[in-house]
């Protein structure tokens, strides 16, 4: 479709603008020109204009890592959403259905409530490990004599989410006020704790996933025709499902560990791109990554701006935007029945 030819430069321009807005927004306002200068200096070490010492400190230690983490996490979640929707041939599919988000929430709850001195890295590591474990359990439950059943995978994800929800509720019942508040804020999702080691990990994860997903684009396109048709084209369906589900679990697990639970990016973004350019995953995946990065950077900027100098958890912003869109998708699906 011709739309894809001009959509890429538009999204690249919006990505740059979103990054500038993200660096500029906060309790201490920084002009867009200074933000642009800081971005150029970080990328190339060229100094376009001299920044005030306090601006340089804020940008280097707070705003820039926060912006880059939002960019990476948004791109990861959007690509994982596009892959899950293609894998299950369902526009309502979301990375959370494989159990990684609910498992990560349980890991974080265990660490925050039972080991309150573990710190941010401890919570992140616990969230990632339990998210990966629950994904493997869900996938194992979905295994049948004829391979992986999509219906069993969805039902297993729902069952594991209910089980982990009950376990989190039990932990909350025995938690003190401090641990309860920390867990609640973590579950809402926030990029306020962005640090450079999180940024580096997210960048490496984004690069790995983008490369692997691109290699699977043609297989995902074939899968849109149906599993039997894809098998006739020589695609190992079970291997493809296992590989992509584990990659999505890894990507979402890293994202959740770094920022907490941020919903709806993986649901909304791929659907919007698909509406504009069609289902070709060779174009859908990179364009979804760009739009996901843009949406999360803008959502994080809004979270800082709305109640400035205080800030809202970014997960609340994405939920407020995503829930109405999800209802719209449900109504569309209902009308097709």
């Amino acid at each position: 479709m011709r739309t894809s030819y001009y959509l890429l430069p538009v999204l690249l321009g919006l990505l740059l603008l979103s990054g500038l807005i993200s660096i500029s927004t906060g309790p201490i306002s920084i002009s867009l020109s200074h933000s642009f200068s800081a971005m150029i200096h970080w990328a190339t070490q060229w100094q376009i204009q001299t920044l005030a010492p306090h601006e340089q400190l804020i940008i280097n230690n707070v705003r820039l890592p926060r912006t880059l983490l939002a960019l990476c996490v948004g791109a990861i979640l959007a690509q994982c959403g596009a892959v899950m929707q293609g894998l299950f041939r369902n526009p309502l599919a979301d990375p959370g259905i494989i159990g990684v988000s609910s498992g990560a929430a349980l890991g974080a709850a265990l660490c925050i409530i039972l080991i309150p001195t573990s710190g941010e890295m401890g919570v992140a590591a616990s969230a990632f490990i339990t998210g990966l474990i629950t994904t493997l359990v869900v996938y194992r439950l979905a295994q049948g004599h004829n391979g992986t059943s999509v219906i069993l995978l969805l039902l297993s994800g729902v069952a594991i989410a209910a089980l982990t929800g009950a376990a989190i509720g039990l932990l909350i019942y025995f938690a003190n006020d401090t641990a309860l508040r920390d867990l609640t804020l973590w579950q809402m999702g926030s990029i306020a704790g962005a640090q450079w080691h999180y940024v580096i990990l997210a960048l490496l994860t984004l690069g790995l996933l983008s490369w692997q997903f691109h290699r699977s684009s043609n297989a995902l396109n074939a899968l849109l025709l149906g599993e039997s048709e894809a098998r006739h084209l020589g695609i190992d369906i079970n291997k493809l499902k296992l590989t992509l589900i584990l990659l999505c679990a890894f990507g979402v697990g890293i994202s959740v560990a770094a920022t907490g639970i941020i919903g709806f990016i993986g649901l909304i973004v791929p659907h919007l791109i698909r509406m504009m350019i069609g289902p070709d995953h060779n174009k859908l995946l990179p364009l979804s990554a760009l739009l996901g990065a843009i949406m999360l950077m803008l959502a994080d900027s809004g979270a800082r701006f709305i109640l400035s100098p205080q800030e809202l958890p970014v997960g609340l912003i994405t939920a407020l935007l995503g829930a109405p869109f999800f209802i719209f998708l449900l109504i569309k699906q209902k009308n097709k029945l």
Side-chain angles (χ1 to χ4, degrees):
M1 295 177 68
R2 293 186 61 187
T3 307
S4 61
Y5 293 112
Y6 63 79
L7 187 58
L8 177 60
V10 168
L11 289 178
L12 288 173
L14 288 175
L15 185 71
L16 175 60
L17 179 60
S18 302
L20 293 176
I21 292 173
S22 179
I23 293 175
S24 302
T25 305
I28 297 176
S29 181
I30 297 174
S31 68
L32 289 177
S33 63
H34 284 192
S35 298
F36 181 73
S37 175
M39 288 178 66
I40 295 297
H41 178 68
W42 176 79
T44 65
Q45 296 303 307
W46 295 347
Q47 188 71 55
I48 297 178
Q49 59 185 4
T50 304
L51 302 179
H54 74 278
E55 289 183 329
Q56 194 74 57
L57 184 67
I58 290 170
I59 290 172
N60 290 345
N61 296 340
V62 180
R63 303 277 178 85
L64 196 54
R66 183 166 186 163
T67 297
L68 290 173
L69 185 60
L71 183 154
C72 293
V73 170
I76 289 170
L77 293 177
Q79 285 194 95
C80 289
V83 168
M84 297 303 290
Q85 290 173 12
L87 199 60
F88 299 134
R89 302 188 299 282
N90 189 331
L92 301 180
D94 180 84
I97 65 176
I98 57 176
V100 62
S101 298
S102 56
L106 177 59
L110 287 168
C111 210
I112 291 171
I113 295 172
L114 301 181
I115 317 173
T117 58
S118 58
E120 287 185 359
M121 288 301 294
V123 173
S126 179
F128 173 72
I129 292 169
T130 52
L132 202 55
I133 289 172
T134 52
T135 300
L136 292 173
V137 171
V138 168
Y139 184 80
R140 186 68 187 88
L141 290 172
Q143 288 279 292
H145 296 297
N146 299 319
T148 307
S149 167
V150 172
I151 298 298
L152 284 178
L153 190 73
L154 296 175
L155 293 175
S156 300
V158 171
I160 291 296
L163 185 61
T164 55
I168 291 170
L170 187 63
L171 289 169
I172 287 174
Y173 183 79
F174 293 105
N176 58 39
D177 291 342
T178 301
L180 184 58
R181 176 173 175 79
D182 289 343
L183 178 60
T184 301
L185 291 175
W186 186 89
Q187 287 182 305
M188 290 180 183
S190 176
I191 311 180
Q195 299 177 38
W196 280 111
H197 55 266
Y198 283 140
V199 173
I200 293 170
L201 180 60
L203 276 171
L204 292 174
T205 302
L206 176 60
L208 172 65
L209 293 183
S210 298
W211 175 55
Q212 291 291 340
F213 287 159
H214 177 71
R215 293 181 61 191
S216 303
S217 293
N218 291 329
L220 284 169
N221 287 341
L223 194 60
L224 294 176
L225 302 173
E227 290 193 11
S228 59
E229 287 80 359
R231 284 193 179 94
H232 287 309
L233 293 173
I235 296 170
D236 187 338
I237 299 298
N238 290 328
K239 181 181 178 182
L240 178 68
K241 287 181 180 179
L242 177 60
T243 301
L244 293 180
I245 286 172
L246 288 179
L247 285 172
C248 287
F250 176 71
V252 176
I254 291 293
S255 300
V256 169
T259 63
I261 298 175
I262 298 175
F264 291 102
I265 294 290
L267 173 69
I268 298 173
V269 171
H271 195 79
L272 289 174
I273 296 294
R274 195 179 293 106
M275 289 169 62
M276 289 185 279
I277 67 160
D280 182 2
H281 286 85
N282 288 294
K283 299 174 183 178
L284 177 65
L285 288 169
L287 293 177
S288 292
L290 288 174
L291 184 57
I294 292 166
M295 287 190 67
L296 192 53
M297 283 194 290
L298 291 178
D300 185 50
S301 300
R304 283 177 274 163
F305 175 77
I306 292 172
L307 294 179
S308 184
Q310 299 178 349
E311 66 176 72
L312 291 168
V314 70
L316 295 182
I317 303 295
T318 59
L320 287 171
L321 294 173
F325 187 80
F326 185 64
I327 294 171
F328 166 72
L329 288 183
L330 287 175
I331 293 172
K332 279 189 67 177
Q333 292 293 108
K334 179 182 175 182
N335 292 335
K336 291 180 180 179
L337 296 177

